Amino acid sequence: MLTRRELLLTPLLLMACQRRKTGSSQRPLFAAETHPESYPTTRALHAIDRVLAERTGGEMRVRVYSGGQLGSEADTLEITIFGGLDLNRVNLAPVNSIVPETMVLALPFLFRSVAHSRAAFDGAPGRAILDAMTPHGLKGLCYYDSGARSFYNTRRPIRTPDDMRGLKVRVQNSSIYVAMVQALGANPTPIPYTEVFQALVQGVVDGAENNWPSYESSRHFEAARHYSMTNHVLAPEVLVASMHTWKKLDDAQREHLQAAVDGSVPIMRELWDARVEESRRRVLEDGIELVEDVDHDAFASRMRPVWDRFLTTPRLRELADRIQALDAPAPAEARQASDASRVNRQ
């Protein structure tokens, strides 16, 4: 009987054997991605492949297995650490239990804006958290945006924490999300993402929380018509490499890979920003109630016990403090940086 890991690794091992039979000296880097081909992170992975091919004359390539072909993120993360996968784009949630430093980026109301979050991801705090993955068998390569998450529900507009009292709110199976919703006086209900729409329709939960593209593409807006701009979490997704793979690459190959990865970040962000605006437009045209006059200070004040619970070491508290102290670029500066990155890609 094959183990679950062996079953998941079988297609990759067969492909590696085929490459050896045909005499190819180097197989492509295998990359796992749960999102579909059209998703911004998947398109960013394909951009890495194109740049690597250009920089190395085709000697380095990336083969992207999108749409969850290789299993759940928890499964593929385990395989990546084991060395069966080279690259993996994952949400931070399954990494939290492996690398405690990643928990900092999931703290509610840590970031003041998208610009502030990107300054943290691109700056020294973000690099320190990526580097913290190395002892755990992962090479942190970069962050990809996962958007600002907000609450939506079937019952009423949410403007203050008191408006959440007694609501049953679906959350990810994550201790920090459970603690956050409890601190706001609501009842957290961890259920799989694929079951949320039916749960909203049947009244199993009153609401959920997510970003604009997920709210729209999942059709949650058809059941939960009150969308409140709490923007409570801006945790990113992360692209990692197996340390087994990283150690096998020579210095030039590592430089090529990191350069291709770095160039994929502004591409992903441009695609993501366009996706957010399109999703927002679609649900507003459908007539959902958008609540923008949210008392963010009142929400943030309820989070101190949550922070105290999860910032359990001086190291974690220092990372949170460094992120809070960062200055986000002004809108004009952010646009100039985006324009510069676009010119560099042409």
Side-chain angles (χ1 to χ4, degrees):
M1 294 290 291
L2 293 176
T3 65
R4 182 188 65 176
R5 177 186 290 167
E6 289 167 339
L7 285 170
L8 291 172
L9 282 174
T10 295
L12 306 179
L13 295 174
L14 289 175
M15 185 168 296
C17 290
Q18 183 62 33
R19 300 240 350 145
R20 284 197 292 271
K21 288 179 182 178
T22 58
S24 178
S25 60
Q26 184 170 334
R27 66 166 175 81
L29 298 174
F30 298 140
E33 169 62 87
T34 55
H35 292 309
E37 278 291 306
S38 61
Y39 202 79
T41 55
T42 312
R43 294 171 68 180
L45 291 177
H46 286 297
I48 294 173
D49 173 50
R50 291 193 299 271
V51 172
L52 271 181
E54 292 170 1
R55 290 179 64 104
T56 66
E59 290 186 6
M60 292 185 72
R61 300 297 302 266
V62 175
R63 179 159 297 177
V64 181
Y65 292 86
S66 61
Q69 295 178 62
L70 301 181
S72 69
E73 291 188 352
D75 287 335
T76 58
L77 187 62
E78 178 185 357
I79 294 170
T80 305
I81 294 171
F82 175 69
L85 277 167
D86 304 302
L87 304 174
N88 200 350
R89 195 288 312 152
V90 294
N91 189 281
L92 273 187
V95 188
N96 289 163
S97 61
I98 301 170
V99 186
E101 287 85 351
T102 62
M103 187 75 72
V104 173
L105 298 177
L107 288 171
F109 297 97
L110 172 67
F111 299 113
R112 298 184 296 276
S113 64
V114 170
H116 179 214
S117 70
R118 290 174 175 175
F121 304 155
D122 297 342
R127 184 72 256 172
I129 294 171
L130 290 177
D131 290 343
M133 300 179 187
T134 301
H136 304 279
L138 299 170
K139 170 66 178 176
L141 294 174
C142 73
Y143 300 102
Y144 289 145
D145 282 33
S146 188
R149 302 177 74 95
S150 290
F151 290 107
Y152 48 89
N153 78 100
T154 62
R155 294 176 57 182
R156 56 179 175 261
I158 294 172
R159 293 181 171 85
T160 72
D162 290 341
D163 295 325
M164 294 192 62
R165 186 176 294 119
L167 292 180
K168 294 174 292 184
V169 179
R170 180 268 173 180
V171 294
Q172 299 180 75
N173 190 15
S174 164
S175 56
I176 196 167
Y177 280 85
V178 170
M180 172 186 67
V181 169
Q182 287 176 333
L184 295 173
N187 301 316
T189 308
I191 59 175
Y193 178 69
T194 54
E195 299 176 14
V196 177
F197 179 77
Q198 199 65 26
L200 288 167
V201 171
Q202 295 178 346
V204 175
V205 295
D206 301 306
E209 52 84 48
N210 220 312
N211 55 48
W212 280 111
S214 295
Y215 177 60
E216 178 260 327
S217 63
S218 63
R219 297 171 44 231
H220 293 178
F221 71 95
E222 295 178 10
R225 305 291 287 176
H226 309 284
Y227 191 97
S228 298
M229 294 284 288
T230 51
N231 295 335
H232 48 269
V233 171
L234 284 89
E237 301 182 351
V238 64
L239 178 63
V240 298
S242 170
M243 283 303 300
H244 290 275
T245 299
W246 188 255
K247 290 176 180 178
K248 292 177 182 177
L249 301 178
D250 61 34
D251 289 344
Q253 290 172 324
R254 292 177 184 178
E255 182 180 346
H256 289 316
L257 177 56
Q258 190 65 62
V261 166
D262 292 343
S264 74
V265 173
I267 295 173
M268 186 274 167
R269 287 177 179 172
E270 188 172 325
L271 292 168
W272 177 258
D273 290 345
R275 177 76 174 257
V276 168
E277 288 307 309
E278 177 64 13
S279 294
R280 176 182 170 122
R281 181 189 65 78
R282 287 179 179 177
V283 298
L284 289 178
E285 286 181 353
D286 195 71
I288 66 106
E289 179 182 13
L290 176 61
V291 182
E292 297 185 271
D293 56 335
V294 174
D295 189 344
H296 291 94
D297 289 339
F299 276 91
S301 67
R302 298 281 186 96
M303 293 302 108
R304 179 49 55 189
V306 178
W307 283 40
D308 291 342
R309 175 179 170 183
F310 291 96
L311 296 180
T312 55
T313 68
R315 165 72 168 163
L316 299 183
R317 289 191 289 272
E318 178 203 7
L319 284 169
D321 290 342
R322 289 170 63 186
I323 290 172
Q324 285 189 296
L326 282 175
D327 290 327
E333 294 172 349
R335 283 196 299 272
Q336 290 170 2
S338 176
D339 292 343
S341 69
R342 192 176 301 113
V343 170
N344 291 336
R345 299 198 304 275
Q346 293 175 350

